[in-house]
């Protein structure tokens, strides 16, 4: 399993940098430091390897801590995702492969719709609990966040901006128009929220990126 | 010039639908109802024709009416753009060609940076006039709007949503976190704002799309 994992992580690096079409199996083999035979023992084709990268990311869905406000859980979806994009090469590769896939016109609709449907129930529950401002249709902020998020992700990648900061600004600006003031002032939308959602307010995680909530990994750990 | 214009408008329709690579000159000739010789008399190549579509859109920069608040002029950039995307096939084709271009990795950075630079001076002037909330860095909302706008544009195209409504929601949610309340309650961020910015509050324009501010074109006009 260690060889399989090494190949997957090498594939993530190569797919992230080059995209699906121009990624070379010879580069993956070299980075993973395995033979081509070992690669074909674990993965039958380039397509199978790309699918395994996407699956590995999907299987690693993080367990987020339940929050006092459902509106916070709504925010946490995006903040945890931006945290993962920063820390997890498999996640970045999976996102790039999914976008590549979309770029080839096979199915552009489902990724947006799936993501919107993931957000709507949380805001509906927030509404039942009285967290939302009057007359807010939960579908509107859900669509707005998903569309804006996709653009901020692309722009951050293109301009080399810190996605976590961009997404933080998005929620910080949008949420006061969605939730009642008593909830708005208690929401955490600051950079590093993803780490706090995953590991708790005082939680820390190993981080080579000097992010909020991170601690440097111990030497040789 | 009438033939050149007919070719340009036909090219806009074909580039918009098919993108640069798969657009066929034979389709453009057919829609414009001209000979292939006429096309090559006006445009030396497919690339030259695509560039002419982009240039025609750039030359048609709208004259926007000056507003009481600079923050309104900041909003109007995006609202006028969404109005034009709805009404102007040349604009839609130009945007698609620019994105295609970006997709081929030739220059993805400049379109974002140009658009951000267009927004920043308006917010800086708004800041000098006391329209902005304390501690707002004009670059932050400028970047947020540009990134979010790009994503909402792509999502609207993909899901068949009304871009004017999506952009209206974006400004309606973001601006109260940028400007002081006395300005926020006077900003027009409602759908149809693009038409009002171009033609005045009571202005109307010929519109086959039943948009806010539009009137049906007279028969035979």
């Amino acid at each position: 399993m260690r060889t399989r994992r090494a190949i997957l992580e090498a594939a993530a690096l190569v797919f992230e940098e080059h995209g699906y079409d121009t990624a070379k199996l010879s580069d993956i083999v070299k980075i993973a430091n395995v033979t081509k035979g070992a690669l074909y023992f674990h993965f039958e084709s380039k397509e199978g390897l790309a699918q395994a990268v996407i699956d590995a990311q999907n299987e690693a869905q993080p367990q987020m801590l339940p929050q006092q406000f459902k509106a916070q859980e709504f925010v946490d979806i995006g903040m945890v995702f931006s945290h993962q994009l920063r820390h997890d090469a498999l996640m970045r590769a999976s996102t790039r492969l999914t976008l590549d896939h979309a770029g080839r016109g096979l199915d552009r609709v489902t990724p947006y719709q799936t993501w919107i449907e993931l957000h709507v129930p949380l805001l509906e529950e927030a509404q039942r609990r009285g967290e939302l401002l009057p007359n807010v249709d939960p579908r509107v902020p859900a669509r707005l966040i998903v569309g804006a998020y996709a653009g901020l992700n692309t722009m951050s990648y293109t301009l080399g901006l810190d996605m976590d900061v961009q997404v933080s600004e998005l929620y910080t600006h949008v949420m006061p128009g969605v939730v009642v003031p008593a909830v708005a002032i208690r929401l955490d939308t600051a950079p590093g929220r993803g780490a706090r959602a995953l590991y708790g307010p005082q939680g820390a995680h190993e981080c080579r990126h000097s992010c909020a909530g991170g601690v440097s990994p111990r030497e040789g750990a």
Side-chain angles (χ1 to χ4, degrees), chain A residues 37-50:
Chain A
L39 190 149
Y40 283 113
F41 175 80
H42 289 284
F43 304 99
E44 62 184 4
S45 64
K46 185 177 175 181
E47 197 184 330
L49 185 50

Side-chain angles (χ1 to χ4, degrees), chain A residues 78-80 82-83 86 156 161-169 189-195 211-212:
Chain A
M79 293 303 292
V80 164
S82 78
H83 174 84
R86 181 172 193 157
S156 298
L161 302 173
D162 185 335
M163 178 65 176
D164 198 46
V165 172
Q166 305 305 311
V167 174
S168 164
E169 294 289 354
T189 61
R193 171 62 202 168
C211 74

Side-chain angles (χ1 to χ4, degrees), chain A residues 161-184:
Chain A
L161 302 173
D162 185 335
M163 178 65 176
D164 198 46
V165 172
Q166 305 305 311
V167 174
S168 164
E169 294 289 354
L170 175 65
Y171 288 115
T172 302
H173 281 84
V174 167
M175 294 311 288
V178 176
V179 298
V180 297
V183 174

Side-chain angles (χ1 to χ4, degrees), chain A residues 14-190:
Chain A
V14 173
F15 282 132
E16 182 197 350
E17 186 174 348
H18 298 284
Y20 181 79
D21 283 333
T22 53
K24 286 188 194 134
L25 290 184
S26 57
D27 285 344
I28 295 171
V29 163
K30 204 181 295 175
I31 292 172
N33 197 20
V34 299
T35 64
K36 212 146 196 169
L39 190 149
Y40 283 113
F41 175 80
H42 289 284
F43 304 99
E44 62 184 4
S45 64
K46 185 177 175 181
E47 197 184 330
L49 185 50
Q51 190 59 53
V53 167
I54 293 173
D55 292 346
Q57 181 264 304
N58 283 335
E59 287 157 16
Q61 288 299 329
Q63 292 300 310
M64 295 199 276
L65 303 173
Q67 303 294 327
Q68 182 183 4
F69 298 115
K70 279 289 160 182
Q72 183 69 59
E73 296 180 17
F74 171 82
V75 168
D76 287 350
I77 294 176
M79 293 303 292
V80 164
F81 192 59
S82 78
H83 174 84
Q84 292 178 313
L85 283 175
R86 181 172 193 157
H87 290 80
D88 187 339
L90 268 173
M91 176 71 80
R92 289 195 299 274
S94 171
T95 304
R96 165 120 204 219
L97 287 170
T98 308
L99 291 173
D100 267 12
H101 180 85
R104 277 176 279 165
L106 294 181
D107 180 8
R108 298 165 156 183
V109 172
T110 304
Y112 285 112
Q113 282 182 340
T114 305
W115 212 13
I116 292 169
E117 295 307 327
L118 184 69
H119 284 81
V120 169
L122 286 173
L123 283 190
E124 284 174 344
E125 178 59 23
Q127 191 169 50
R128 278 189 287 274
R129 297 185 183 188
E131 297 176 18
L132 301 199
L133 289 166
N135 297 332
V136 169
D137 173 353
R139 300 199 66 81
V140 172
R143 258 198 310 250
L144 175 59
I145 288 290
V146 167
Y149 197 102
L152 290 171
N153 192 10
T154 308
M155 184 180 77
S156 298
Y157 183 81
T158 305
L159 299 187
L161 302 173
D162 185 335
M163 178 65 176
D164 198 46
V165 172
Q166 305 305 311
V167 174
S168 164
E169 294 289 354
L170 175 65
Y171 288 115
T172 302
H173 281 84
V174 167
M175 294 311 288
V178 176
V179 298
V180 297
V183 174
I185 59 167
R186 288 179 177 83
L187 285 185
D188 182 358
T189 61

